[in-house]
Amino acid sequence: MSEKHKKAAEDLRSARWFAPDDLRSFGHRSRLMQMGLDPEDWTGRPVIGILNTWSELNPCHAHFRERAGDVKKGVHQAGGFPVELPSISVDESFTKPTSMLYRNLLAMETEEQIRSHPLDGVVLMGGCDKTTPGLVMGALSAGVPMIYLPAGPMLRGNYAGKILGSGSDAWKYWDERRAGNISDEEWVGVEGGIARSYGHCMTMGTASTMTAIAEAMGLCLPGASSIPAPDAGHIRMSTQCGRRIVDMVWEDLTPEKIVTPASVKNSAVVAMATGCSTNAVVHMLAMARRASIDLTLDDLDALGRTTPLIANIRPSGKDDYLMEDFYYAGGLRALMAQLGDKLDTSVTTVTGKTLGETLEGAVVYNDDVIRPLSNPVYHQGSLAVLRGNLCPDGAVIKPAACDERFRNHEGPALVFDSYPEMKKAVDDENLDVTPDHVMVLRNAGPLGGPGFPEWGMLPIPKALIKQGHRDMLRISDARMSGTSYGACVLHVAPESYIGGPLALLKTGDIVRLDLDSRRLDMLVDEEEIERRRAAWQKPEPRFQRGYGYMFGKHVTQSNEGCDFDFLSPKFGETAGEPDIF
């Protein structure tokens, strides 16, 4: 250990727990020795917390037990002392009614795990949709050096010689199943072939989007977010994370030096260029605000208008290209290099180097997968933000993933107040519906869902499927899976459950979408709208006790990121270091 490190060791945060010659530190040291450790294991060494979201009910993170060991190896190599702490897994597959209900719980747990324990730096192990924003939000509030280790995408799916993509093909084949075009045997084959390894969804869904955003924000090692989970390179990257976080502690490279207005803007530009999930909007807003950066829906819409979509990957790009192909084509480093001066490359990353330095030597190996700016998949970015009398505080749509004919559409509303009501109707082959109808689901927002579930890709009515239709305009205050596609307007704010205008819409009302003008309106005169508003009755809260009760009292609307109001830096000062007596 160098003289510099010996001197700096006295200033380590963990030294407050272990260094003093008093009874409390005696207790801390003796309990470590109780676990078979020797003072040489921790004395003068940065204590590195490994926050692991592994769970036997999270297939995306099934490899994290082993990867935590790889991180520990790197920490030891660099002279640190690794400690692994379990974190709530917030898996997308099994957590109901939605994992979004628990994103803020993970953020709170992360912040308090860091603050209450003797940790000098942390490696955040996540990947499945809400784990990236949840872990990052909490660590931003805690403020110690951090590095994000993304789980990586699974291998591409395959059945009967056909490439299968997470989520996207589930919706597609389910429609065919409902139409009677797929046998039981074929359906089971698709189930077994669509997810063939550990790792998160291999389309550019929410998981791949959010890990790319974390890397573009400077929080991952260069190229880390693109490595497939089963690839040997993922093991090496995990060990490198362990080595690097130790140096970050000595360098005092804390999150506020990395997450800046410029790096947040970079992450938004990259999101637009990748064909990102609509869920990126709510998570980016929340992450930025944890860093006291006032990102807005209008900021994101402006970037979407000027950033071409250049990642030719499902669901916005070519069906045959998935995240594995993106990695082989050069990965996120190559895409960021293609963006050129659209990014501020002077920002600092977890490497201690600038973004520009980390992009040196990046090469595109397949320019059909990662397109040049001169030949984009879509001339604008992935997302557009709408306003109008149906969504005065905003709504989101993914233009590149919907049929061109719905960009400017006018049709009668077909309104449902609950998912079961809607599900029953769409399975009715005699439903009175045309392709011009606008399907509407309400009471599915942050409070109404509850938890802002992914119900927004409303299933096409069976009557239309049998006529050969596979898309129609759909509107809800819900989210939808990042692997989804179609003409779906989402995140309508304010939500209907609190009396937003969507609550006042009636079946038969004419709805108009004008995507070029970014407008979404119900063509109902203002006097009638006011009459309906006066007659609207506030529903009972979804929860009467527990975490859900707290969620209902404090969650913000989608246009504000759905964080808890009391977790905003504007609410009050972050708690200081804990007392140790």
Side-chain angles (χ1 to χ4, degrees):
M1 186 182 295
S2 70
E3 269 316 302
K4 174 187 172 185
H5 284 184
K6 285 181 181 178
K7 186 175 181 180
E10 301 169 5
D11 300 321
L12 288 173
R13 181 174 180 270
S14 59
R16 296 184 62 238
W17 275 260
F18 301 126
D21 185 13
D22 59 25
L23 185 59
R24 293 311 307 157
S25 293
F26 164 83
H28 301 148
R29 293 190 296 264
S30 71
R31 291 303 184 182
L32 287 179
M33 295 180 77
Q34 178 185 3
M35 294 186 286
L37 295 165
D38 188 281
E40 180 62 25
D41 289 317
W42 72 79
T43 302
R45 300 175 185 274
V47 179
I48 303 301
I50 303 168
L51 274 60
N52 190 351
T53 53
W54 173 88
S55 162
E56 286 190 342
L57 283 176
N58 192 339
C60 305
H61 298 176
H63 53 314
F64 269 3
R65 270 183 165 173
E66 290 74 26
R67 293 297 183 273
D70 300 322
V71 175
K72 291 175 186 178
K73 179 173 69 174
V75 172
H76 282 303
Q77 288 172 350
F81 174 45
V83 291
E84 184 179 352
L85 292 85
S87 294
I88 184 172
S89 194
V90 198
D91 68 279
E92 197 65 30
S93 303
F94 299 105
T95 302
K96 304 300 178 187
T98 169
S99 62
M100 184 63 185
L101 184 63
Y102 301 103
R103 183 201 68 181
N104 295 346
L105 182 61
L106 173 59
M108 292 173 67
E109 180 191 45
T110 299
E111 180 178 352
E112 300 308 325
Q113 284 254 54
I114 295 170
R115 179 174 293 114
S116 62
H117 288 99
L119 306 179
D120 299 301
V122 290
V123 176
L124 309 173
M125 298 182 64
C128 191
D129 297 13
K130 313 307 178 298
T131 56
T132 300
L135 289 165
V136 170
M137 289 160 64
L140 284 171
S141 295
V144 304
M146 65 159 167
I147 192 167
Y148 189 76
L149 193 167
M154 68 177 86
L155 299 176
R156 68 169 69 87
N158 189 284
Y159 171 68
K162 296 178 181 178
I163 294 171
L164 299 180
S166 305
S168 301
D169 275 317
W171 313 121
K172 183 177 80 173
Y173 281 96
W174 176 239
D175 279 347
E176 299 307 317
R177 173 81 163 161
R178 292 169 66 220
N181 298 330
I182 290 182
S183 68
D184 290 348
E185 182 180 359
E186 289 170 322
W187 184 241
V188 172
V190 172
E191 285 180 343
I194 202 166
R196 300 189 301 116
S197 76
Y198 48 74
H200 59 66
C201 293
M202 80 307 254
T203 48
M204 186 54 76
T206 304
S208 294
T209 292
M210 294 312 303
T211 57
I213 284 171
E215 181 174 338
M217 206 176 280
L219 298 175
C220 301
L221 291 179
S225 67
S226 307
I227 305 172
D231 194 287
H234 198 274
I235 298 173
R236 291 189 289 271
M237 179 270 293
S238 300
T239 302
Q240 290 161 10
C241 284
R243 288 199 296 266
R244 179 58 197 152
I245 189 61
V246 175
D247 287 339
M248 289 177 68
V249 171
W250 293 127
E251 295 163 11
D252 195 31
L253 185 51
T254 49
E256 72 269 15
K257 298 171 185 175
I258 297 171
V259 182
T260 64
S263 70
V264 167
K265 182 180 178 182
N266 282 348
S267 69
V269 169
V270 167
M272 297 298 174
T274 59
C276 65
S277 162
T278 49
N279 292 315
V281 173
V282 70
H283 298 318
M284 281 194 289
L285 292 173
M287 292 162 70
R289 292 178 185 206
R290 284 295 187 100
S292 298
I293 297 166
D294 192 22
L295 185 68
T296 68
L297 283 178
D298 291 335
D299 295 331
L300 295 174
D301 186 64
L303 291 172
R305 290 176 183 267
T306 59
T307 307
L309 194 167
I310 60 173
N312 193 14
I313 313 166
R314 282 203 216 179
S316 296
K318 189 175 180 180
D319 279 357
D320 288 349
Y321 293 149
L322 299 167
M323 286 300 297
E324 196 174 342
D325 304 287
F326 183 69
Y327 174 62
Y328 300 146
L332 196 71
R333 289 179 65 241
L335 180 137
M336 288 196 284
Q338 292 285 69
L339 289 171
D341 60 9
K342 290 186 177 293
L343 299 178
D344 182 343
T345 56
S346 69
V347 298
T348 300
T349 70
V350 291
T351 64
K353 301 175 181 178
T354 66
L355 177 63
E357 290 175 302
T358 69
L359 296 182
E360 290 176 4
V363 177
V364 173
Y365 296 107
N366 184 333
D367 64 6
D368 190 41
V369 176
I370 301 175
R371 299 282 189 88
L373 292 176
S374 59
N375 182 31
V377 178
Y378 189 72
H379 63 285
Q380 293 186 353
S382 178
L383 306 176
V385 175
L386 308 173
R387 304 277 183 179
N389 69 1
L390 266 178
C391 52
D393 291 340
V396 177
I397 189 170
K398 198 170 185 177
C402 71
D403 194 304
E404 184 73 18
R405 66 193 176 97
F406 293 115
R407 292 180 61 88
N408 293 281
H409 182 77
E410 198 171 294
L414 182 58
V415 181
F416 302 102
D417 286 319
S418 71
Y419 199 94
E421 178 191 359
M422 180 272 298
K423 183 69 168 58
K424 182 179 179 181
V426 299
D427 285 339
D428 180 0
E429 296 184 24
N430 298 313
L431 180 68
D432 185 12
V433 63
T434 72
D436 291 329
H437 268 91
V438 179
M439 280 183 64
V440 176
L441 175 66
R442 56 191 177 201
N443 300 317
L447 291 170
F452 210 11
E454 291 185 341
W455 296 345
M457 188 183 171
L458 311 183
I460 303 298
K462 187 179 287 188
L464 295 181
I465 288 178
K466 292 204 167 185
Q467 295 172 26
H469 300 286
R470 295 297 183 268
D471 201 3
M472 66 188 299
L473 183 57
R474 290 157 280 178
I475 300 172
S476 74
D477 44 16
R479 298 178 302 111
M480 76 175 182
S481 168
T483 65
S484 303
Y485 52 88
C488 300
V489 176
L490 310 154
H491 307 191
V492 170
E495 65 174 303
S496 56
Y497 201 75
I498 63 171
L502 200 65
L504 312 179
L505 187 68
K506 293 185 176 182
T507 291
D509 290 343
I510 301 301
V511 173
R512 176 189 292 155
L513 169 65
D514 184 345
L515 188 53
D516 294 334
S517 299
R518 299 297 200 263
R519 293 287 305 183
L520 179 67
D521 296 284
M522 54 176 163
L523 304 187
V524 178
D525 67 69
E526 193 59 38
E527 287 185 6
E528 173 62 18
I529 290 175
E530 288 306 315
R531 279 195 292 271
R532 296 179 187 181
R533 182 173 285 115
W536 179 80
Q537 294 185 344
K538 184 178 180 179
E540 289 295 315
R542 294 292 197 193
F543 296 100
Q544 301 299 321
R545 61 168 297 280
Y547 172 75
Y549 180 84
M550 181 177 72
F551 183 95
K553 288 289 185 182
H554 295 287
V555 72
T556 61
Q557 287 290 288
S558 59
N559 59 301
E560 299 175 308
C562 292
D563 201 357
F564 291 153
D565 54 10
F566 62 82
L567 295 178
S568 165
K570 294 179 180 179
F571 189 86
E573 290 294 321
T574 297
E577 290 291 340
D579 292 328
I580 303 177
F581 297 120

